[in-house]
Amino acid sequence: MKRTRCRGLEGAGIAVVMAALALLISACSTVQGDVQAGRQDLLYGDPNRALEHFERAAASNPNYLYYSVLPQSVWTYVGRAHYAAGKFPDARHALERAVQRSDQDNLARLYLGLTRVREGDREAGIKDVENGLRGVRDWLDYVERQFSSSYGRFWDPNRQIRSAIASDLAMISQGTDQKKLLAEGEWVGTQMEEEIDRARRDERTDHYREGEDPRR
């Protein structure tokens, strides 16, 4: 009787663990789906709709990191959506949270700088923009250097983004008007987000070609 009872408890325990695991996987999938849907709205749709997706993801998992090789906190996306909607105090709050969470989140730093400039904190804002741009450039260089035989070769392959960053950094060092600074910083941010999808697409295409029958 005791052995039968123990087996029953063991089976119940496994069932509970499996159920919890299924819920965890489902929750992660939901958060990722919200972030992906938010990304599309942020790039090509309505920033307010994007914000709904990102805030729902942040509520479900405030520590979520969206990894596409390039890491971004869910709070980076919340902040960027607020920024795109013109809600700069809310953007700053979310982006400060993202930067505090990870000093490697270069897009969070970039957009925090842009937000501060728009709020009138020009000196601190320009410094953050400069540091964010340098971080993006250094990250692209690192990925190209360290992973040149795999996914690294698909990120900024023509160095268009890095060339623009070089010009932007030179412009900042020489002094620039606020309008141009904002436009250039936003361009880099948008291009990096689009590069996520371009790099994925090019990597899939390359893998498909390598898998083709060479006799065809």
Side-chain angles (χ1 to χ4, degrees):
M1 290 294 294
K2 289 184 178 179
R3 290 189 66 179
T4 302
R5 185 179 178 184
C6 288
R7 286 180 180 176
L9 289 173
E10 182 181 349
I14 292 174
V16 170
V17 171
M18 294 301 293
L21 181 60
L23 286 173
L24 178 62
I25 292 172
S26 176
C28 290
S29 178
T30 299
V31 171
Q32 186 171 351
D34 270 325
V35 172
Q36 185 60 23
R39 287 184 65 247
Q40 296 306 306
D41 281 327
L42 183 62
L43 284 170
Y44 312 115
D46 181 351
N48 289 305
R49 286 182 58 190
L51 185 59
E52 291 177 9
H53 287 294
F54 294 142
E55 287 187 327
R56 187 160 55 241
S60 297
N61 186 353
N63 296 318
Y64 180 77
L65 278 174
Y66 180 75
Y67 273 96
S68 57
V69 180
L70 174 70
Q72 289 186 77
S73 164
V74 66
W75 294 107
T76 307
Y77 281 115
V78 170
R80 290 175 60 188
H82 277 306
Y83 178 89
K87 302 172 183 177
F88 302 122
D90 292 328
R92 176 171 43 78
H93 178 74
L95 292 164
E96 285 174 344
R97 185 169 182 174
V99 168
Q100 289 170 1
R101 192 182 189 285
S102 172
D103 60 3
Q104 301 300 313
D105 194 335
N106 298 304
L107 288 183
R109 178 69 66 185
L110 171 62
Y111 275 93
L112 178 58
L114 295 172
T115 301
R116 284 175 168 162
V117 170
R118 287 193 177 276
E119 288 188 309
D121 191 359
R122 181 179 170 85
E123 184 176 352
I126 290 176
K127 183 177 180 180
D128 280 331
V129 169
E130 183 176 11
N131 288 335
L133 290 172
R134 289 185 188 279
V136 170
R137 178 203 61 192
D138 292 346
W139 183 87
L140 287 169
D141 285 343
Y142 169 78
V143 168
E144 181 185 51
R145 182 175 63 252
Q146 295 296 117
F147 305 99
S148 59
S149 61
S150 57
Y151 61 80
R153 56 199 168 103
F154 302 107
W155 281 83
D156 194 29
N158 298 321
R159 302 184 67 86
Q160 181 181 16
I161 297 174
R162 278 170 285 185
S163 293
I165 289 174
S167 298
D168 295 341
L169 291 174
M171 176 185 66
I172 290 173
S173 68
Q174 297 167 6
T176 182
D177 64 276
Q178 180 170 311
K179 185 177 180 180
K180 188 170 185 180
L181 174 71
L182 292 169
E184 293 294 328
E186 290 167 5
W187 183 88
V188 170
T190 299
Q191 288 300 308
M192 284 299 292
E193 195 65 35
E194 292 181 350
E195 194 71 2
I196 293 172
D197 298 322
R198 287 193 292 258
R200 283 174 172 167
R201 180 199 62 211
D202 292 346
E203 186 174 6
R204 284 196 301 266
T205 300
D206 187 72
H207 287 171
Y208 173 77
R209 287 172 179 166
E210 289 180 354
E212 283 185 335
D213 187 336
R215 293 172 296 181
R216 293 181 181 178

